[in-house]
Amino acid sequence: MCGIIGYVGKKDAKKVLINGLQTLEYRGYDSAGIAYFSDRVIRILKTVGKVSCLKDKVAEQAGNDATTCGIGHTRWATHGGVSDTNSHPHTAGKVTLIHNGIIENYKELQEELAEKGRFPVSQTDTEIAAMVIDDCYHGDPENAIRNAVRKLQGAYGFCIMFEDIPETIYAIRNGSPLVAAHTDRGSIIASDMVALVSYTKQYFVLKEGHIAKMTKDEILVRDENGSVYGPNIHHISWDVAAAKKGGYDYFMMKEIREQPAALRNTIKPRMVNGLPDFTADEVSDDIFHDISRIVITACGTAMHAGLMGKNMIERLCRVPVTVDIASEFRYQDPIIDDKTLLITVSQSGETADTLAALRLAKERGAKTLSVVNVKGSSIARESDYVLYTHAGPEIAVASTKAYSVQVAVMYLIAFRLAYVSGKISEEETKHYMSEMMFTVDQVEEVLGYDNQVESIAKRLKKTEDIFYLGRGLDYALSCEGSLKLKEISYIHCEAYAAGELKHGTISLITDNVPVIALATQPDVYAKIISNVQEVRSRGAKVILITTPGAAVDAVLCDHQITLPETDPLFSPFVAAVVLQYLAYYVAVEKGLNVDQPRNLAKSVTVE
Ligand code: M6R
């Protein structure tokens, strides 16, 4: 949520900032702005709209400004509407800053400042933060920042410039991510390493509460006590090309097509002698000992991966599993104790609600395991154990490859737990593992269904409501298919457990309402087909997704998509591609920006 970048070094800072903001735009695209030192004076340029609008403005109005130090921001609006005034950077007195997060007590702080005769010009919480820092500034910037953040409640990642300290950027964070690197070309900091990777592959994560002072020669980090701190350096394992579109119109399509590779990268290193093995992840089987239940918590797509996990773990391990939406979890006084294994699932590893759920569960004594894509992210660092997914960077707001690999890791957890607890034999475990690897080939095959799905999508583009139906694993997958469709095509869509429809929702089924039915599970095949009959006889337009050999009455559906032959337990991996394609092509048909759907941002670092 909001992308921030700071650079000081030998290069043209305007260019570095604009390039960086373009890579960070998926984090928010309401407005963008930069501030930089030029001739020892801070200049600010900002505008509503995409980074491309800012780029044009900078070219027109600041093309000749020489600068080697600046900060930049791409906004996902929280407090205050989308306007130039509310865009970052914000200035108060000697302080200019950019912010990712929310200052929750900004109203009270605003009142305190008003008593001192200080009033903001924007409606943002960020400007209040700038005013508080300026109010604390009496010549010592780190002291000012330290004293100011004591007054702030909420989440923040700040990059700050002081008018009287040229060529220097200060940064601090709480909750919101910041990664930084120093190279012989200068110092750079950003909310995501996608903005760093074209400069360096070595980076560090700024710890919460630490202050980074960045100059062209070094980044000096001090901890809460003011002592110099040497941060741990991490290595980015993917290439700069991974964060580029590579000839595709949209990142989403590129990422859909990267799924076979992402799945192999995630599964193969954990397959030792044919068995699931987490030794290299330093996740010992102790986490499975002495647990009475598993709680999975996550948001959005990641939560849907958790639903798959519940299904597999309960089926194979006979351990009770609940899946909680992270934003609800912490406010419902969850029943968690030292016999609970809490699994958090998160692509970014920074989702505020998921992080808060993790912290609460730790406080209550749970063992914690996270399934995370971004190395060194907050959720990964704060969990007892981490199983990284190896999807590479996911840029499109709509999650695709990250979902598939999250599901794969949930399956691996189920297999390992079932195996070590003696619920399935070595032979069965090996069978499951090899079936899962085989499924990756089927995922590759189903990538070739694009034309077929596109032609169905063309017929859906004018629709206002769509329903997904499924049972068991198909229902869990339906939830994800439905989220994908509404997220990027703006069509209202609901996923229903097929048997539940007749308890109310079937009243919404009228002539030509599209119903997408997933029928890949043999144990409930006859049941779902009956449910399809029920909607069909009320006029629904049915798109049926089935497996080879399924006996389908020709009058039952308008379109049938037959998946490649797959073990039913693994069919969600294959069917997921069809659902992702469907959402993608409907959005393309409607002429929408697939990668940057309205009102959304990729990484949700506010509650
Ligand atoms: O980074 P996370 O996996 O924690 O993000 C959670 C959700 O915000 C995310 O999965 C969201 O639902 C997807 N972008 C939807 O496609």
Side-chain angles (χ1 to χ4, degrees), residues 299-302 345-351 354 397-399 406 480 483-484 487 602 604:
C299 301
T301 289
V345 188
S346 177
Q347 187 284 129
S348 63
E350 300 292 349
T351 299
T354 311
V397 165
S399 194
Q406 285 163 351
E480 176 54 11
L483 174 64
K484 219 82 309 172
E487 182 179 20
K602 180 77 177 163
V604 185

Side-chain angles (χ1 to χ4, degrees), residues 34-97:
I34 57 171
Y36 53 88
F37 278 103
S38 187
D39 276 343
R40 300 178 75 84
V41 171
I42 294 179
R43 180 150 193 222
I44 297 179
L45 290 166
K46 50 190 188 179
T47 180
V48 162
K50 306 242 162 171
V51 177
S52 58
C53 305
L54 176 69
K55 190 177 179 183
D56 293 344
K57 189 165 184 173
V58 170
E60 264 168 40
Q61 301 183 13
N64 296 327
D65 286 359
T67 174
T68 50
C69 175
I71 54 182
H73 187 271
T74 176
R75 180 172 188 237
W76 186 82
T78 58
H79 295 58
V82 177
S83 68
D84 284 358
T85 312
N86 289 337
S87 304
H88 302 213
H90 287 280
T91 295
K94 289 192 163 62
V95 169
T96 296
L97 61 70

Side-chain angles (χ1 to χ4, degrees), residues 309-345:
K310 170 184 164 73
N311 204 304
M312 286 305 290
I313 295 169
E314 289 191 334
R315 190 186 288 232
L316 296 183
C317 315
R318 310 309 298 156
V319 175
V321 182
T322 52
V323 181
D324 277 313
I325 295 168
S327 55
E328 289 292 306
F329 178 81
R330 65 191 291 222
Y331 298 109
Q332 61 199 14
D333 194 10
I335 303 166
I336 299 285
D337 58 21
D338 59 0
K339 297 218 172 342
T340 308
L341 172 63
L342 181 101
I343 304 179
T344 47
V345 188

Side-chain angles (χ1 to χ4, degrees), residues 541-597:
K541 218 182 235 335
V542 174
I543 298 155
L544 190 63
I545 301 174
T546 52
T547 45
V552 180
D553 186 337
V555 295
L556 190 67
C557 60
D558 297 273
H559 307 283
Q560 184 180 351
I561 298 175
T562 308
L563 302 171
E565 183 84 58
T566 314
D567 181 319
L569 280 190
F570 300 95
S571 67
F573 291 98
V574 182
V577 175
V578 172
L579 274 43
Q580 294 161 353
Y581 269 161
L582 198 65
Y584 175 88
Y585 283 117
V586 174
V588 168
E589 281 298 319
K590 292 182 75 174
L592 299 170
N593 184 337
V594 172
D595 285 342
Q596 296 177 346

Side-chain angles (χ1 to χ4, degrees), residues 79-140:
H79 295 58
V82 177
S83 68
D84 284 358
T85 312
N86 289 337
S87 304
H88 302 213
H90 287 280
T91 295
K94 289 192 163 62
V95 169
T96 296
L97 61 70
I98 49 175
H99 171 215
N100 170 24
I102 285 182
I103 306 303
E104 289 166 358
N105 60 336
Y106 81 104
K107 272 275 167 220
E108 295 98 271
L109 294 168
Q110 186 171 350
E111 281 159 21
E112 280 173 30
L113 289 160
E115 281 168 21
K116 296 181 182 177
R118 301 193 66 165
F119 301 94
V121 292
S122 73
Q123 290 87 50
T124 64
D125 54 332
T126 301
E127 189 185 355
I128 303 299
M131 292 168 77
V132 173
I133 297 174
D134 184 61
D135 205 50
C136 295
Y137 184 49
H138 309 291
D140 182 338

Side-chain angles (χ1 to χ4, degrees), residues 195-440:
L196 267 49
V197 72
S198 54
Y199 298 91
T200 177
K201 289 195 153 192
Q202 316 287 337
Y203 71 98
F204 69 88
V205 178
L206 184 66
K207 284 198 167 188
E208 290 192 355
H210 286 193
I211 295 180
K213 177 187 178 190
M214 298 170 50
T215 60
K216 70 176 185 355
D217 301 317
E218 63 172 357
I219 303 182
L220 191 69
V221 179
R222 290 186 195 277
D223 66 15
E224 292 85 346
N225 305 315
S227 306
V228 173
Y229 176 84
N232 289 337
I233 303 297
H234 299 274
H235 184 78
I236 299 173
S237 54
W238 39 268
D239 212 74
V240 70
K244 298 219 157 116
K245 278 192 202 150
Y248 288 95
D249 291 339
Y250 289 105
F251 277 108
M252 183 177 174
M253 180 53 91
K254 177 174 176 253
E255 289 161 4
I256 290 173
R257 290 178 181 263
E258 283 171 347
Q259 285 176 111
L263 283 164
R264 288 190 185 106
N265 291 343
T266 300
I267 301 167
K268 265 196 169 167
R270 290 158 176 140
M271 191 165 171
V272 178
N273 300 325
L275 290 168
D277 191 308
F278 301 141
T279 312
D281 301 285
E282 296 180 16
V283 175
S284 89
D285 291 332
D286 287 351
I287 56 162
F288 300 131
H289 291 155
D290 206 21
I291 54 167
S292 58
R293 60 197 287 256
I294 294 176
V295 175
I296 301 173
T297 187
C299 301
T301 289
M303 191 273 290
H304 295 154
L307 293 176
M308 289 288 177
K310 170 184 164 73
N311 204 304
M312 286 305 290
I313 295 169
E314 289 191 334
R315 190 186 288 232
L316 296 183
C317 315
R318 310 309 298 156
V319 175
V321 182
T322 52
V323 181
D324 277 313
I325 295 168
S327 55
E328 289 292 306
F329 178 81
R330 65 191 291 222
Y331 298 109
Q332 61 199 14
D333 194 10
I335 303 166
I336 299 285
D337 58 21
D338 59 0
K339 297 218 172 342
T340 308
L341 172 63
L342 181 101
I343 304 179
T344 47
V345 188
S346 177
Q347 187 284 129
S348 63
E350 300 292 349
T351 299
D353 288 316
T354 311
L355 182 59
L358 165 68
R359 286 176 177 165
L360 177 67
K362 280 187 89 170
E363 259 168 50
R364 297 195 175 185
K367 298 180 199 176
T368 58
L369 168 69
S370 63
V371 179
V372 172
N373 196 43
V374 177
K375 294 230 167 66
S377 54
S378 302
I379 292 173
R381 279 182 291 110
E382 294 193 27
S383 301
D384 299 330
Y385 300 95
V386 190
L387 289 170
Y388 281 112
T389 51
H390 300 302
E394 191 181 65
I395 311 287
V397 165
S399 194
T400 53
K401 60 176 179 172
Y403 169 74
S404 295
V405 293
Q406 285 163 351
V407 175
V409 172
M410 297 312 301
Y411 274 48
L412 288 173
I413 293 170
F415 299 154
R416 182 76 202 171
L417 173 54
Y419 172 60
V420 297
S421 59
K423 293 287 189 325
I424 55 175
S425 67
E426 182 171 330
E427 201 184 326
E428 283 169 307
T429 314
K430 285 183 171 169
H431 169 76
Y432 285 132
M433 289 298 287
S434 73
E435 280 299 321
M436 185 151 73
M437 280 313 294
F438 172 70
T439 303
V440 181

